[in-house]
Structures are given as structure tokens and as C-alpha cells.
Amino acid sequence: MGKPRLTAMATVLMAVALYGCSASDLTGNGSGGGSADDAWTGLLEATKNPADWVTYGGTFDEQRFSRLTAINDKTVARLGAAWWFEFDTNRAQESTPLEYQGVLYVTTAWSKVYALDAKSGKQLWFYDPQVPGEYGAKGCCDVGNRGAAIYDGKLYFGTFDGRLIALDIKTGKPAWSVVTVDQSKTYTITGAPRIVKGKVVIGNGGAELGVRGYVTAYDAQTGKQAWRFYTVPGNPADGPDNAASDPVLKDKAGKTWFGEYWKNGGGGTVWDSIVYDAELDQLYIGVGNGSPWNHKIRSQGKGDNLFLSSIVALNPDTGAYLWHYQGTPGETWDYTHTQTITLATLPVDGKPRKVLMQAPKNGFFYVVDRQSGKLLSAKNYVDVNWASGYDLKTGRPIEKPEARYPKGPVVVTPGALGAHNWQPMAFSPQTGLAYIPGNHALFGYENAGDFQRRDGRWNLGIKSDDTSPPDDPKAVAGIRKMLSGRLIAWDPVRQKEAWGFDYPEPWNGGVLTTAGNLVFQGDTRGNFRAFAADSGKVLWSANVGIPIMAAPITFALGNDQYVAVVAGYGGAYALTSSFNDDPGPRPNGRIFVFRLDAKGTLPKIEKIVAAPANPPAEMFPPAQVTHGRHLYERDCWVCHGPGAISSGVVPDLRRSGALTSAEAWQAVVIDGALKDRGMVSFAKYLSKQDAEDLRAYVADRARLLQQQEGKKPQ
């Protein structure tokens, strides 16, 4: 008689029994008899316990793969709502929650943090770092926060205004706080920190607005800076930056830049992926786009511009450079390489190889030897037209010259939104597939003929006029058909899609996969689905009532396995697209938690009714409207939407109560009356007459909206 087969629940219980007691209690105070080495060992051991989710990517290899199997392809149909919890903000909800010993830790928009009882949803504590509302204007892509880190009695997270804060994990009270950016500049933090050998590592964002990227490590117990690595060189005349990177930047990166690049910051922000390789004791960072985007303006059209659009390996103890792989040399399309970096061992040429995988914005899936940085394979996982492939001897793309928009406007696929943005992908060692939340979105690029840097504003180096959508509904519908999303199950060995699932628009949620042969993902219409990981068959779904962008997690308490996901709309696509499927004011974000046979009821979230169009009575000369349109397309569309068509994440100016009053409009636009809500004064960039011209343009758009809504114009 053979060995008895373990049931799915027995597997869960065995996992809890084997790993439930780690070498160090992560909720302890970190100083009661244990050493820093003990605390680090404790965290490493805790990541091996599938009952908890204690790091951003689930484990240090960031596969977002759970070994729990109670919820599986046979039982998932019994999944029901256990509980849900409403946050106090309706802005972008991008957080991957952490769970440890029955407590969920969730960051929300505006860098707020909740500790919730994982079984009941009861709030245990709440911390608001009081990010100034006016700081919202410094961000490119909303005020979301993607997560936190747990280590030795503390919870660590970054704030949108550039602080790194350590909280007592039991009480939520601050243990220490350090400012990790120059707050006079347009730096922000939206990404999750990582714990690496007793240090907290954090990056930053802000490349579009003209900053110089870097990543910093701090002592986890004291907040003292340990090292800093700059991803792009600074002004050579300023000398060393007292950072571990200086020799590298001078000898390697500095030679790949031309002109006075430092005046525009350079970009290269490390705003998302930071991954520690415990096998090789290496730290990998994903580096973002250039500042400005346009390579011709940024670096005279010359040089690779290291370390933009690269994966860089660092010594985790010192921050010293080890190697790099640059996927998009001389990038000029906002092709960040900050997307999920996932570690695995894969068969390459019939032998096991330690690799890292990435599906960045440029549309190619990379498999890279993580010992040397050598490119092993690269294949486009979506349709692309900027390159025909990669030369594996050089590791460089085979570019199409016209993609760099040398003579006039060029439509490039994928566009600046990226074939894959920040939403995390997952990898299952069980199926051997990577699961990518893909986008199909093109973008038109054209050189800016009269580029002048403006401090604190978007400095892209491309033409910003004509960003508004057409007024013809048929033309709008035609463009809308060009935008879509797809969950892509990708075989990294064969570099081929195994299966896919289509969505009607981009910007769907991050991904979780499990040993129960499942893949979980949410979408922009609030559907939360479970797919068979091997075939893509939809096995279960529930509609939570609001869009889902964040990635789910799973954990176990007692005899039950749970799945949790944060919901709420926002971010780059929501702000900068006029083609959102469900525009209008947004409800507060929420976290939803599910378990087998739960009988809870999902909330009925009523759609918030948008205010009617509110055009003023006065009419404006066409020349004034035209000038207002130029100003709007230069300064306003990245928050309030192209053509003044807002997705509802921020106010729709066509419906604004201030639109009918020149005085009220001036108070907001010039005087900064609403700066605490993120609408800062534009007196630095606009005259009072400019502000009135903007009102003329928005009024024109409001009249068109009024007609479309079937009402008579005033």
C-alpha cells in the first residue's frame, strides 16, 4: 500500500507547523538579547513560512508564488468574502499588504498605514504621516504607495514627500524617521522599501520633473545612512558625492553622457524594483527613464546614458557596483526598467542557470544570468515597433531608426504607458510560467522644437501640443479600440506565450500565483478572478465594485487560507488618459479578504454622480481659447486629463464650481487656495491673463460636455 496522499488542508497545517516558529520573532523589539544577525536570520526564515506574507514579493526572490494549496483549482469555486475594510482616501491604491502572525499591514494613498486583524478586519492601529497636500503636485503619477517592509519589531515605509519612517509594529508609533531626498526638489517615494542584512533600502521617483536618481541604504535600527548609489552622474565640477558609486560613475557611466546633462537632472530613478539575491549575496535595482525623455535633448543624441533603463547589481554591504545590464541604451521613450525583477533557476541549454527575469515597459521579456549580467534571451511579449529583436552577442536591441522620431511625429508601440507598468508580475516554479499584467497602448512622439527646462514641471523634451483627444465620437471610439490589456502567461525558457486573457482596457491589477494551480488578478472594472495557472481557464470571479490595480496576497490562519487584495483606482493611466471606461468621481479605496466557504457580503458601492458641466455665461474670443488650450496641454493635462476630460481621480475642471467666476478661478490657479488638496499655485508659470485664458479653454470644453449631456448651453 502506497503512502497516503496529503490533503490540501494537511499541507497548509504542515507548513504552519514546520515554519511557524522562526529564528526571531519579527514583532519583537530587536534589542532583547538577540543580535542583528539573529534578526536577519529570523526574517530569512520567516519568508520560508507560506502561512505568512512578510516581504513585498512574498519571498526574497519576488516570485509572488505561494506554496499554500487549500485554495486550489478544485476548491476555489467555494471562495467567499470574509471581510472588507474601507480606507479614508479615494486616490491610487497600489499596495501589496504584508501579513504576519494574524495582522495585515497595508499602506494606502498619501502614505497612510493601517494594521488590521487579518481574521476579522478590525483596525488595530493607524498612522498618518501627514504628507502635505501640496506635495501631490510634485508627483508624475498620483500619490499611491506600494507597500512596506517588516523587520525586527518595526514596519518601514516611504512617504510621498520623501521620508523613510520606522514604526513600532505593535503600536504604530514612530521609532525613527529620516528625510531621504532633497525636499526642495521634485522627488517623491511611492515604492516599497526592502530589508537587506540589517539595512533598509529605498529609492525614489521624479524623473519626469527633473531629478537625479539614486538608491540609499539605512541602518534598520537607527536610521543612519549606510551607503548611497547614484544611478546617473552629476555635474563633474561638483566633485564626488560621498557615495559608493563615484568611481563607477566617473569611469563607466560618465563616459556615456554628453553635454550639460546634469542641468536636467538626468533621471534614472529607482522607484520600484529592489531585489536581494540571498544565494549570491547581490542586490539588484531596476533603473528608470531619462530626464528629459528625449535623448537628443538630454545627451545631444549621443551615448548609452548609463545606468538609465538598466538592471544594476550592487554589493548589499557597501553599495559598490558589481555589474549591469542595460536593456534600452540611450532610451528616449520613457522605457523604464523598474518593473518586477524575479529570481529563479531555469534550464538554459540543458543546464540549470541562476537567472533573473524582467518584463519592462519596452515590451521585451529578458532572461539574464544574475551572476554576470549576461543577456541569455530576449523576446517581445507584446507587439512592438521600435525594435525588431536583440543581438545576443552584444546584448543590444536591433532598433528601427525611425522609432527615435528623427524628422516628425512617430507613433510607437508600446508607448510611454509601457507594455507592463508597475503592477507586479508573478512566476510559478510549478508551471514554469511568468504571469504578466500587460498593456496595449501606443504613444505619439515628436521633438520639441523650443525646449526650455522649467523647474518643478514636466520636462519631457517632446511636443506636448495636440494631446487632446478629437471631439468626433467616432474618432474617439476608433482610438479607444487601440487600447487594451492582457494577462500574459509567458514561458521564459521557450520565450513564448502559453496562454492569455484579454481585457477591454489597460491598467489592470498585479498578479499572484499559488501551488494550488491558481493565478489571481483584478481588473479595472472591479472583477477579481482566479485562473487555472496551467491553462488560463477562469475558475472563479467576484466583482468588488471598484477597480483593482494592486497585487493580491495569500496567507493562512489556523485551518484557513485567505486571499487579500487592495482596490481603488488612480495612477498614470487614470490621470493621463481620456479613454477610461468608467470616468467620474471615485469612492474610497478598500481591502477585500476572501476564504473558502465564507458567507460575507461584498459592499454595494454606489457610483458617485458627477456634477453637471458648469460653463460660465460669458463667451471668450477664439484666440483666447486657443492660447488656453496651449497652456492646458503644457501644464494641466497630466493631472486633469487630456482635453480637460478627467477620469475622476482628480476634479473634472469642466464641472468645477470655480469655472463660472474669474475671481474664484484666479484664487485657485494663481493664489493656491486649494494647495492643501494638491492644487498648488501656478503663479510661477502663469500670469493672471494666462489663468484667464485657461478658463476660456476649459469653459469651451464645458460647453461641449453640456451639449453631449443633452442640455442646452447657457
Side-chain angles (χ1 to χ4, degrees):
M1 194 171 176
K3 294 182 179 179
R5 183 177 181 181
L6 289 175
T7 65
M9 185 52 61
T11 304
V12 173
L13 295 175
M14 180 174 290
V16 174
L18 287 174
Y19 299 110
C21 297
S22 62
S24 176
D25 182 0
L26 300 187
T27 61
N29 60 24
S31 59
S35 67
D37 288 341
D38 289 338
W40 173 237
T41 301
L43 179 58
L44 289 173
E45 288 300 312
T47 65
K48 299 176 183 178
N49 178 4
D52 290 320
W53 191 284
V54 296
T55 64
Y56 180 69
T59 55
F60 277 95
D61 53 24
E62 305 227 359
Q63 294 182 356
R64 292 182 177 262
F65 170 77
S66 171
R67 289 181 286 118
L68 296 179
T69 57
I71 301 172
N72 57 56
D73 53 4
K74 303 298 190 298
T75 63
V76 70
R78 293 161 40 205
L79 208 58
W83 57 267
W84 56 271
F85 181 90
E86 181 176 351
F87 305 133
D88 69 347
T89 169
N90 68 340
R91 296 295 289 269
Q93 302 296 340
E94 303 178 355
S95 179
T96 295
L98 301 179
E99 187 281 334
Y100 183 64
Q101 292 189 347
V103 180
L104 274 170
Y105 303 94
V106 192
T107 61
T108 74
W110 293 110
S111 316
K112 300 175 183 181
V113 186
Y114 290 86
L116 306 171
D117 182 279
K119 188 173 184 178
S120 67
K122 177 183 177 182
Q123 181 177 313
L124 302 178
W125 55 257
F126 168 72
Y127 181 77
D128 182 355
Q130 299 290 321
V131 173
E134 61 195 275
Y135 224 91
K138 291 189 175 185
C140 76
C141 310
D142 216 343
V143 294
N145 186 286
R146 294 187 195 95
I150 294 174
Y151 177 70
D152 204 17
K154 297 180 180 65
L155 187 82
Y156 304 85
F157 70 104
T159 67
F160 195 74
D161 59 349
R163 290 170 284 161
L164 177 65
I165 298 177
L167 303 178
D168 183 289
I169 200 168
K170 294 180 180 178
T171 66
K173 295 180 178 180
W176 56 258
S177 176
V178 60
V179 176
T180 184
V181 302
D182 182 345
Q183 291 181 311
S184 70
K185 298 181 179 179
T186 51
Y187 283 103
T188 57
I189 295 177
T190 56
R194 307 302 203 278
I195 304 298
V196 182
K197 301 173 74 174
K199 300 178 182 66
V200 191
V201 185
I202 189 73
N204 46 61
E208 278 72 23
L209 290 92
V211 301
R212 179 189 181 200
Y214 58 85
V215 63
T216 313
Y218 295 89
D219 183 276
Q221 293 303 333
T222 66
K224 181 180 178 181
Q225 183 174 318
W227 54 259
R228 175 167 288 173
F229 181 88
Y230 286 95
T231 56
V232 300
N235 185 348
D238 292 340
D241 293 293
N242 296 317
S245 60
D246 290 337
V248 174
L249 291 175
K250 179 180 178 181
D251 298 336
K252 184 179 291 290
K255 297 177 181 179
T256 69
W257 289 78
F258 294 84
E260 296 179 323
Y261 56 84
W262 59 87
K263 290 186 176 180
N264 294 312
T269 49
V270 184
W271 53 263
D272 202 6
S273 279
I274 302 169
V275 179
Y276 176 65
D277 185 340
E279 288 184 291
L280 301 180
D281 192 28
Q282 296 183 148
L283 182 69
Y284 310 113
I285 59 173
V287 184
N289 57 281
S291 178
W293 289 358
N294 193 332
H295 186 231
K296 299 179 186 66
I297 294 173
R298 185 178 68 242
S299 185
Q300 300 179 347
K302 298 184 291 185
D304 287 350
N305 293 177
L306 292 172
F307 294 104
L308 297 182
S309 302
S310 299
I311 296 171
V312 182
L314 304 175
N315 181 313
D317 298 316
T318 65
Y321 166 88
L322 298 175
W323 58 257
H324 77 277
Y325 172 69
Q326 186 175 44
T328 314
E331 91 86 16
T332 197
W333 306 277
D334 187 26
Y335 282 168
T336 64
H337 282 248
T338 52
Q339 285 61 48
T340 315
I341 297 172
T342 301
L343 313 184
T345 298
L346 296 180
V348 178
D349 296 330
K351 298 180 181 179
R353 196 89 170 252
K354 290 180 172 61
V355 304
L356 59 79
M357 297 173 283
Q358 189 184 46
K361 288 174 73 173
N362 70 15
F364 284 88
F365 190 98
Y366 299 90
V367 179
V368 177
D369 184 298
R370 65 184 204 252
Q371 291 180 303
S372 65
K374 176 181 172 58
L375 178 66
L376 300 177
S377 66
K379 181 71 175 178
N380 56 300
Y381 60 95
V382 298
D383 291 336
V384 304
N385 70 359
W386 70 275
S388 60
Y390 271 74
D391 182 336
L392 294 184
K393 292 182 179 179
T394 64
R396 300 178 70 89
I398 305 168
E399 286 190 19
K400 298 180 180 180
E402 63 272 19
R404 289 186 174 267
Y405 41 103
K407 297 179 180 180
V410 175
V411 175
V412 178
T413 304
L417 184 70
H420 171 212
N421 209 282
W422 64 265
Q423 290 89 338
M425 78 173 185
F427 172 76
S428 170
Q430 185 171 281
T431 63
L433 301 178
Y435 303 95
I436 310 165
N439 302 313
H440 177 72
L442 40 76
F443 192 86
Y445 299 84
E446 184 175 2
N447 285 302
D450 57 347
F451 175 77
Q452 292 182 341
R453 172 179 164 76
R454 294 187 305 142
D455 188 47
R457 303 307 305 147
W458 279 49
N459 292 285
L460 306 184
I462 61 173
K463 187 178 179 181
S464 61
D465 291 341
D466 301 322
T467 56
S468 300
D471 293 336
D472 180 7
K474 291 184 178 179
V476 170
I479 295 172
R480 177 62 188 82
K481 289 181 179 179
M482 299 180 187
L483 305 173
S484 61
R486 185 172 175 84
L487 174 59
I488 302 167
W490 189 260
D491 185 329
V493 176
R494 300 172 63 202
Q495 285 284 21
K496 184 177 181 180
E497 181 178 302
W499 59 261
F501 183 86
D502 288 324
Y503 294 103
E505 72 174 329
W507 215 242
N508 301 289
V511 185
L512 164 73
T513 185
T514 77
N517 191 36
L518 294 174
V519 171
F520 289 92
Q521 186 190 26
D523 69 18
T524 59
R525 297 185 177 182
N527 298 302
F528 188 41
R529 294 182 178 87
F531 303 84
D534 55 1
S535 68
K537 181 181 179 181
V538 177
L539 302 176
W540 170 88
S541 68
N543 191 285
V544 300
I546 50 177
I548 299 171
M549 304 184 298
I553 69 165
T554 187
F555 57 91
L557 297 174
N559 295 331
D560 294 313
Q561 182 183 348
Y562 294 77
V563 176
V565 67
V566 170
Y569 200 50
Y573 178 75
L575 293 177
T576 60
S577 174
S578 297
F579 304 101
N580 297 276
D581 280 358
D582 186 26
R586 302 288 169 175
N588 285 345
R590 290 164 170 79
I591 182 171
F592 296 91
V593 179
F594 302 85
R595 64 171 172 80
L596 295 180
D597 302 319
K599 303 299 182 183
T601 302
L602 291 171
K604 185 177 181 181
I605 302 175
E606 300 288 346
K607 183 176 175 60
I608 301 173
V609 178
N614 190 37
E618 67 260 50
M619 302 297 291
F620 299 92
Q624 189 175 5
V625 173
T626 299
H627 185 238
R629 172 175 173 157
H630 167 74
L631 295 173
Y632 186 93
E633 291 176 341
R634 186 189 72 179
D635 284 323
C636 308
W637 73 276
V638 295
C639 287
H640 292 281
I645 303 172
S646 172
S647 69
V649 176
V650 296
D652 190 317
L653 298 181
R654 302 169 300 170
R655 308 173 191 273
S656 170
L659 185 56
T660 56
S661 167
E663 293 76 16
W665 187 267
Q666 292 281 334
V668 174
V669 177
I670 299 300
D671 300 336
L674 298 180
K675 69 176 184 178
D676 290 343
R677 301 183 191 178
M679 179 59 201
V680 298
S681 166
F682 273 71
K684 183 177 179 180
Y685 314 104
L686 302 171
S687 68
K688 290 185 177 181
Q689 184 58 53
D690 287 339
E692 184 66 359
D693 293 352
L694 267 174
R695 189 170 78 96
Y697 170 66
V698 177
D700 185 69
R701 303 300 298 169
R703 285 192 183 87
L704 176 62
L705 174 62
Q706 193 175 63
Q707 294 170 4
Q708 292 171 341
E709 291 178 336
K711 299 177 182 178
K712 294 181 180 180
Q714 295 182 7

